[in-house]
């Protein structure tokens, strides 16, 4: 009997089974990419970034793992309505960022998603030295490479006034010294993503018919596969064929019960680089992410609000005249500065809550798009005025993958590379044994599973 393994090339596997290549596009279930419980919808990943650390004593909830609550003066109050859909993680230690070259903000930003040291380069840091870009691929790009299954975009990156390219302004990396440029104009991003998305009703009907025919054929091909694989994979194929038959019915009748897809309106043009449009730009980017995921155009996306050393003012947060980075360096004894930092971070929590709500508003099968998505809010620092990276604030939201939500977990000094590896596993890449520099990775974080 032929056994499927992670090391067997898909094309070779199909050839060995003697089935048609058309089944190849419907065999990710035999690989490591994650899907929702009903097998119809893929698991998506969204990275959400805000800068300059937080105020830990105002960020953390009260209580224990299950009986936690967010105090009225807390930063995370906007997440109260999403209590059962969030996992608040404290005590993740960015060990890698305490090694190699670069100042606190540079290393925090470069290591945050890569877990690797910065390369030599030209960017002058606050410590008097220079450093370059990160020395490895970021976790979002690695996952995107592994789970991509023919979607229009391997991943989508959005930056809200993130600025010119340097190691303070780039968090996503295609590989060592390969920063990924985020889209910073929602209008040009819309045109790139949805330019050829809309088709006429006649073409759509023809496309549904062709898809239905292909599904019918592939369903027969997979029946052949069932006779030659293990009992475990046999059950998985049965489940997948049920999904195929359901999807075929929806496609042939024109029902959109699969992806609940609706392209967003392009909206009126505005200057996305103008300070007064910071909020409008971020909201437009968030809506583009939700639409792109719901339309099946990508499985991985990120939104980067500003950049490391973000020095914008946020009047929308109730802090009109003082720049964010300047505030973050005030001492803890400056009560006014502390309250302003709380207001700024709470405003970002509101934007994170908006993203969660927007995902939850999209129906998918018996659940929602949020149920099939992992959303991760990250920061390059733990605390701004000390540039700590040994207790970076992390909030995970969603319903996809194995992470158990509705909890507040406090760790000791868990390496953040372990958290990045756990994200890989949550996205279905269980074969991964390390992520980033292996010197700082000791395995997954089992407590995330509950």
């Amino acid at each position: 009997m032929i056994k499927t393994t992670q090391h067997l090339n898909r094309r070779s596997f199909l050839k060995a089974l003697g089935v048609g290549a058309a089944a190849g596009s419907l065999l990710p279930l035999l690989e490591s990419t994650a899907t929702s419980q009903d097998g119809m919808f893929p698991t998506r990943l969204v990275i959400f970034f805000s800068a300059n650390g937080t105020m830990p004593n105002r960020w953390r909830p009260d209580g224990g793992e299950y009986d936690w609550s967010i105090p009225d003066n807390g930063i995370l109050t906007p997440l109260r309505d999403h209590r059962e859909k969030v996992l608040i993680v404290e005590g993740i230690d960015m060990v890698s960022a305490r090694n190699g070259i670069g100042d606190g903000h540079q290393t925090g930003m470069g290591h945050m998603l890569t877990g690797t040291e910065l390369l030599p380069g030209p960017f002058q840091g606050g410590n008097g030295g220079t450093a370059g870009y990160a020395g490895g691929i970021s976790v979002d790009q690695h996952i995107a490479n592994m789970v991509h299954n023919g979607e229009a975009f391997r991943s989508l990156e959005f930056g809200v006034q993130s600025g010119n390219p340097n190691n303070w302004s780039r968090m996503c990396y295609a590989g060592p010294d390969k920063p990924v440029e985020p889209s910073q104009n929602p209008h040009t991003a819309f045109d790139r993503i949805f330019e050829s998305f809309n088709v006429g009703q006649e073409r759509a009907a023809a496309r549904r018919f062709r898809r239905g025919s292909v599904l019918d054929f592939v369903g027969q091909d997979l029946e052949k596969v069932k006779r030659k694989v293990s009992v475990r994979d046999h059950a998985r194929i049965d489940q997948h064929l049920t999904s195929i038959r359901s999807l075929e019915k929806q496609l042939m009748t024109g029902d959109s019960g699969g992806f609940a897809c609706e392209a967003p309106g392009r909206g009126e043009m505005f200057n996305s680089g103008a300070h007064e449009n910071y909020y409008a730009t971020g909201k437009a980017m968030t809506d583009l992410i939700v639409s792109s995921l719901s339309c099946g155009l990508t499985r991985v996306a990120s939104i980067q609000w500003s950049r490391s050393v973000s020095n914008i003012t946020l009047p929308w947060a109730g802090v009109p005249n003082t720049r964010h980075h300047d505030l973050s360096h005030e001492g803890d004894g400056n009560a006014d500065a502390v309250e302003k930092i709380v207001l700024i971070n709470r405003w970002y929590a509101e934007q994170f809550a908006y993203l969660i709500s927007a995902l939850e508003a999209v129906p998918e099968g018996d659940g929602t798009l949020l149920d099939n998505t992992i959303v991760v809010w990250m920061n390059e620092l733990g605390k701004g005025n000390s540039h700590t990276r040994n207790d970076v604030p992390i909030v995970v939201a969603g319903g996809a993958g194995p992470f158990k939500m509705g909890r507040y977990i406090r760790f000791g000094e868990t390496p953040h590379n372990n958290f990045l590896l756990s994200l890989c596993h949550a996205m279905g890449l269980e074969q991964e044994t390390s992520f980033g520099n292996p010197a700082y990775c000791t395995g997954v974080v089992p407590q995330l599973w509950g």
Side-chain angles (χ1 to χ4, degrees):
M1 177 178 290
I2 298 173
K3 295 182 178 180
T4 61
T5 71
Q6 297 297 334
H7 307 290
L8 185 59
N9 176 275
R10 180 189 292 178
R11 183 176 297 176
S12 300
F13 174 56
L14 293 173
K15 184 176 180 181
L17 291 175
V19 300
S25 63
L26 291 173
L27 276 178
L29 77 162
L30 296 181
E31 299 183 341
S32 60
T33 54
T35 57
S36 59
Q37 289 185 355
D38 61 11
M40 281 186 62
F41 300 102
T43 296
R44 287 73 147 212
L45 172 68
V46 180
I47 303 294
F48 177 105
F49 168 83
S50 65
N52 295 334
T54 189
M55 298 301 298
N57 62 330
R58 300 286 290 276
W59 176 85
R60 64 173 62 95
D62 294 331
E65 181 174 354
Y66 291 97
D67 63 347
W68 58 273
S69 62
I70 300 170
D72 291 341
N73 68 348
I75 286 170
L76 300 182
T77 53
L79 302 184
R80 283 172 167 170
D81 291 343
H82 303 284
R83 191 183 191 285
E84 299 308 313
K85 292 289 187 177
V86 299
L87 172 61
I88 300 171
V89 181
E90 180 184 352
I92 296 295
D93 186 355
M94 205 182 292
V95 178
S96 65
R98 297 201 296 275
N99 295 272
I101 57 177
D103 68 20
H105 285 281
Q106 289 175 322
T107 55
M109 194 65 169
H111 289 241
M112 181 178 66
L113 296 179
T114 70
T116 60
E117 293 89 343
L118 301 182
L119 299 170
F123 307 117
Q124 181 77 47
N127 58 359
T130 60
Y133 289 115
I137 192 170
S138 56
V139 69
D140 61 305
Q141 296 300 296
H142 173 68
I143 289 171
N145 289 340
M146 297 299 289
V147 306
H148 183 250
N149 195 35
E151 294 85 7
F153 300 94
R154 194 173 298 273
S155 64
L156 291 171
E157 293 75 37
F158 299 94
V160 188
Q161 298 182 15
S162 300
N164 295 325
N166 54 54
N167 60 12
W168 294 279
S169 66
R170 298 295 179 261
M171 68 178 187
C172 301
Y173 286 83
D177 201 30
K178 293 181 178 179
V180 177
E181 186 80 13
S183 298
Q184 298 191 59
N185 185 317
H187 305 292
T188 57
F190 176 91
D191 291 342
R192 179 171 68 97
I193 298 168
F194 291 100
E195 183 177 29
S196 59
F197 182 76
N198 293 316
V199 296
Q201 290 298 314
E202 185 175 335
R203 288 177 61 195
R207 184 172 60 187
R208 286 195 297 269
F209 178 79
R210 288 196 301 272
R211 284 177 175 171
S213 299
V214 170
L215 287 171
D216 214 12
F217 170 74
V218 172
Q220 296 173 13
D221 222 5
L222 286 177
E223 288 287 355
K224 298 178 184 177
V225 176
K226 286 169 57 179
R227 295 194 291 268
K228 301 184 180 182
V229 297
S230 67
V231 173
R232 178 172 176 266
D233 283 336
H234 190 289
R236 297 169 76 184
I237 291 174
D238 274 338
Q239 182 185 40
H240 200 58
L241 284 172
T242 299
S243 297
I244 290 173
R245 284 190 286 270
S246 174
L247 183 58
E248 178 181 12
K249 180 180 178 182
Q250 293 162 4
L251 291 170
M252 294 301 288
T253 60
D255 182 6
S256 62
F259 289 109
C261 173
E262 183 176 347
R266 191 174 189 274
E268 295 184 4
M269 291 287 291
F270 61 86
N271 180 1
S272 59
H275 171 257
E276 63 268 21
N277 292 326
Y278 184 71
Y279 166 70
T281 299
K283 182 179 182 301
M285 298 293 199
T286 301
D287 293 341
L288 281 174
I289 287 176
V290 174
S291 295
S292 299
L293 296 177
S294 68
C295 290
L297 299 178
T298 191
R299 296 188 182 189
V300 177
S302 62
I303 181 166
Q304 179 184 320
W305 288 86
S306 192
R307 46 171 279 162
S308 179
V309 200
S310 172
N311 230 346
I312 67 167
T313 59
L314 288 100
W316 317 275
V319 186
N321 300 316
T322 314
R323 300 188 300 182
H324 185 186
H325 181 251
D326 293 344
L327 279 169
S328 73
H329 277 269
E330 291 292 328
D332 292 352
N334 185 334
D336 179 66
V338 168
E339 290 306 317
K340 288 177 178 177
I341 285 292
V342 169
L343 288 174
I344 288 172
N345 279 275
R346 188 181 294 153
W347 186 81
Y348 281 117
E350 290 174 0
Q351 311 321 306
F352 187 69
Y354 174 79
L355 171 59
I356 295 172
S357 297
L359 292 167
E360 197 165 31
V362 179
E364 279 198 343
D366 295 331
T368 70
L369 178 57
L370 180 64
D371 294 327
N372 299 318
T373 305
I374 299 171
V375 192
V376 186
W377 179 8
M378 302 193 75
N379 199 303
E380 91 276 22
L381 297 177
K383 196 164 182 286
N385 59 11
S386 56
H387 287 171
T388 57
R389 284 140 289 160
N390 61 343
D391 188 4
V392 292
I394 295 176
V395 181
V396 184
F403 293 170
K404 188 174 182 181
M405 299 296 166
R407 295 185 298 148
Y408 162 43
I409 308 177
R410 286 182 265 193
F411 295 105
E413 296 180 350
T414 298
H416 111 286
N417 287 53
N418 291 11
F419 177 79
L420 299 180
L421 177 62
S422 298
L423 272 184
C424 292
H425 280 231
M427 287 296 295
L429 309 181
E430 296 95 344
Q431 77 277 13
E432 307 283 359
T433 58
S434 184
F435 188 82
N437 187 332
Y440 313 119
C441 189
T442 59
V444 297
V445 186
Q447 295 94 325
L448 296 171
W449 276 256

